[in-house]
Amino acid sequence: MAEAVFHPPRRKRRVFESYESPFPVDVGGKDFRICQAEIINNNVIVRNPEDIEQLYNKGYFGKGILSRSRPEYSISDPSLVTKWQGGNINMPIITSRKYQYRVQWAKSILREQGFDERSVAKILENYTKPLELPLLEENRAEKNSNSCNRTGPSTENTELPNQSSTNTGNVAARSPENQKEGHKKACLEGDPAFDPVAVSRSKEQEEGDLKEVAEVSCQKHGFLVHCGCKESTEQRSCETVKSRECAPEYVLVQEEEGSLCPEDDSAHAQENVVKKEKLVCRRNPFRIFEYLQLSLEEAFFLVYALGCLSIYYGEEPLTILKLWEVFNEVKPNFKTTYMAYHYFRSKGWVPKVGLKYGTDLLLYRKGPPFYHASYSVLAELVDDNFEGSLRRPLSWKSLSGLNRTTVNASKELMLCYLIRPSDMTEKEMSTPECMRRIKVQELIVSRWVSSRERSEQDEL
């Protein structure tokens, strides 16, 4: 058997971040943090933005469900952010067309839950009314430009239509300064005077077709409509605050309105209509939350090896033995893939799912942002004689094809054999402590080229 030639990992040309830590744990133990995750539809999901940042930045665990790898999805349009960057705005900016898509999605959800067209129209009309934006009002005096000039954000562009509240008596009693502060606070806390959803109604109307308006917003699933999920008040309020950055409730919509330049005469009025663009603050009727999705191997490694993750099913945290049992039911070959994952993680590699290349794992040095994957790994559990029921029996043809696919992607194919002692019982395999007796044998597959071999021999 020829000796393997180890090639150094290929570093990526453009690296836009710095390396923090291989694991989301503190060596000194001062800032040790236990993150929380939950099992939903046989997937391990992390919701808390702080936990997401902790797990991904330190070890590159998981991936964003709406992003390619790093959870950095944003509904904001980059071109609009660049256009309005002088307005000191810290809210997402989207086009009017994109906002209408979200209104249509909210309509379809409402219809699926049995609302009639009248109720759907009234709910969305109240929910998507324009809101005041105190931040833009404060900057209004600082920006003065011609209304017919479209080269940059003008005073009219940043002006928002005034929103009359449903409780004018209370608002009129306030001073202008307190009214501005109270308005901003009320918009975020859901005051009936400023929140178009919390419209005062009689008891008979609440018991009628619009009774469900009080619970139109489901913070857990990101829809306008209450989806029927049951969760405690503390958990809901906590998730609302933590998920606000990932799925903002308020957005700025760029809308157009027609206006005339004051120096134009009436004869050419229609020809000189200028479309002014402005930002209107509205509530997002269809919020999409981005979570961090962990593979079963990553989740169990964080719980078992590092002890920095607690996984909940419902309201109860699962023990290590229970997780080992549940993950084996969800994924029959979980024992094999996790042993390989645990082994390579302990060696300093960053294993990721290798489904894209038809393998079990992809091995990265430091992490995907810094290096390309070096190896595609196939894991097999065998006995002392390298025999057993293989998960993926490979013929010479399939092995050659898999190797060619791996080589074309500038990677190497590695066969990882997990050697199980012959006297190990199934009872021992029912706990993760069985890994103490498992041995690992690595085998790198390379294509033998006869012409290349002859030329090397001639040189010798």
Side-chain angles (χ1 to χ4, degrees):
M1 181 181 297
E3 295 183 359
V5 179
F6 293 94
H7 302 281
R10 294 189 304 115
R11 186 176 178 85
K12 292 186 175 180
R13 296 181 179 179
R14 299 180 181 179
V15 179
F16 302 98
E17 58 186 272
S18 59
Y19 184 74
E20 292 189 20
S21 173
F23 299 120
V25 292
D26 187 15
V27 179
K30 298 180 180 180
D31 301 328
F32 185 77
R33 176 188 180 90
I34 298 180
C35 304
Q36 291 188 3
E38 55 185 317
I39 298 179
I40 299 178
N41 297 329
N42 298 332
N43 295 309
V44 181
I45 300 297
V46 180
R47 297 177 179 272
N48 190 344
E50 296 180 0
D51 293 344
I52 292 175
E53 183 179 0
Q54 175 84 357
L55 294 177
Y56 191 86
N57 289 347
K58 297 182 179 181
Y60 301 97
F61 291 90
K63 70 173 295 294
I65 60 174
L66 300 176
S67 304
R68 184 175 181 180
S69 56
R70 175 178 291 276
E72 54 186 4
Y73 171 78
S74 175
I75 64 173
S76 189
D77 191 339
S79 60
L80 295 183
V81 173
T82 305
K83 178 179 179 180
W84 295 92
Q85 62 182 355
N88 193 19
I89 300 170
N90 58 353
M91 297 175 62
I93 307 176
I94 61 176
T95 61
S96 177
R97 182 179 181 181
K98 192 173 183 179
Y99 185 80
Q100 291 302 321
Y101 284 151
R102 295 180 177 273
V103 174
Q104 295 298 326
W105 295 339
K107 283 184 179 180
S108 62
I109 296 295
L110 287 165
R111 291 166 183 160
E112 290 178 1
Q113 298 199 0
F115 291 86
D116 56 9
E117 292 296 332
R118 179 174 170 273
S119 299
V120 170
K122 193 165 186 179
I123 290 174
L124 290 176
E125 181 182 359
N126 292 329
Y127 198 86
T128 59
K129 283 182 178 179
L131 302 174
E132 288 286 349
L133 190 61
L135 178 61
L136 293 181
E137 290 183 354
E138 295 175 359
N139 298 332
R140 186 179 301 171
E142 300 177 1
K143 296 183 179 180
N144 294 317
S145 58
N146 188 4
S147 61
C148 295
N149 186 10
R150 297 185 59 190
T151 59
S154 62
T155 305
E156 287 78 11
N157 288 350
T158 58
E159 183 176 355
L160 299 177
N162 294 328
Q163 172 68 23
S164 61
S165 63
T166 58
N167 192 1
T168 55
N170 296 336
V171 178
R174 301 175 183 174
S175 62
E177 297 179 358
N178 295 335
Q179 182 177 356
K180 183 181 295 183
E181 296 178 359
H183 190 288
K184 184 175 181 180
K185 181 178 180 182
C187 287
L188 298 178
E189 296 182 358
D191 194 333
F194 300 94
D195 194 344
V197 173
V199 181
S200 59
R201 294 179 175 81
S202 63
K203 294 183 178 180
E204 296 180 357
Q205 290 175 332
E206 290 181 357
E207 295 176 357
D209 56 347
L210 296 180
K211 181 179 178 181
E212 58 282 339
V213 175
E215 41 185 28
V216 292
S217 181
C218 174
Q219 304 294 345
K220 185 174 182 181
H221 295 90
F223 298 137
L224 171 69
V225 185
H226 180 71
C227 61
C229 60
K230 297 181 180 180
E231 55 182 341
S232 62
T233 307
E234 295 182 0
Q235 181 181 0
R236 183 176 303 176
S237 60
C238 182
E239 289 183 356
T240 303
V241 175
K242 293 177 180 178
S243 302
R244 189 177 298 276
E245 299 178 0
C246 299
E249 184 176 0
Y250 299 92
V251 295
L252 295 177
V253 184
Q254 177 179 276
E255 299 180 357
E256 295 181 352
E257 62 177 3
S259 63
L260 297 176
C261 292
E263 62 272 9
D264 293 340
D265 53 0
S266 58
H268 302 281
Q270 295 182 354
E271 298 179 359
N272 296 325
V273 173
V274 178
K275 291 184 178 180
K276 295 188 299 182
E277 296 175 344
K278 62 178 182 178
L279 295 180
V280 181
C281 180
R282 298 180 186 272
R283 299 188 70 177
N284 187 2
F286 192 91
R287 284 179 286 163
I288 302 178
F289 296 83
E290 180 171 31
Y291 306 130
L292 184 72
Q293 181 177 358
L294 299 173
S295 66
L296 300 184
E297 293 80 10
E298 291 174 328
F300 194 82
F301 183 84
L302 292 170
V303 175
Y304 173 71
L306 301 181
C308 63
L309 182 68
S310 181
I311 301 178
Y312 286 77
Y313 182 73
E315 298 181 355
E316 297 181 359
L318 300 180
T319 62
I320 293 178
L321 294 179
K322 188 63 177 178
L323 284 173
W324 184 263
E325 178 184 351
V326 171
F327 288 171
N328 277 284
E329 292 178 359
V330 173
K331 187 177 180 180
N333 60 339
F334 170 75
K335 296 177 183 178
T336 304
T337 55
Y338 176 73
M339 290 178 187
Y341 181 92
H342 189 105
Y343 172 78
F344 289 113
R345 263 288 182 181
S346 303
K347 295 292 185 180
W349 294 97
V350 178
K352 305 298 286 188
V353 178
L355 182 63
K356 182 165 61 175
Y357 296 101
T359 56
D360 297 320
L361 298 173
L362 292 176
L363 301 185
Y364 293 86
R365 187 192 175 205
K366 295 177 68 173
F370 305 100
Y371 290 88
H372 296 280
S374 300
Y375 300 101
S376 296
V377 181
L378 278 178
E380 290 287 356
L381 183 62
V382 297
D383 56 14
D384 293 335
N385 298 322
F386 283 82
E387 296 178 354
S389 57
L390 300 179
R391 297 184 305 108
R392 186 175 177 179
L394 294 175
S395 62
W396 286 110
K397 185 177 181 180
S398 59
L399 179 60
S400 177
L402 182 61
N403 186 46
R404 178 64 67 89
T405 302
T406 305
V407 172
N408 289 343
S410 299
K411 298 171 179 51
E412 292 185 273
L413 180 61
M414 177 186 295
L415 303 181
C416 178
Y417 290 102
L418 305 163
I419 305 173
R420 166 186 172 180
S422 302
D423 58 345
M424 181 177 288
T425 62
E426 290 297 330
K427 185 178 180 180
E428 294 182 73
M429 293 290 294
S430 61
T431 64
E433 295 300 320
C434 64
M435 289 188 293
R436 297 178 182 272
R437 302 183 59 189
I438 298 294
K439 298 180 180 180
V440 181
Q441 177 67 52
E442 305 167 19
L443 179 65
I444 296 179
V445 180
S446 59
R447 191 164 66 99
W448 182 75
V449 181
S450 59
S451 58
R452 184 186 306 170
E453 183 73 13
R454 284 195 297 267
S455 62
E456 293 178 356
Q457 292 293 334
D458 294 340
E459 293 178 358
L460 295 176

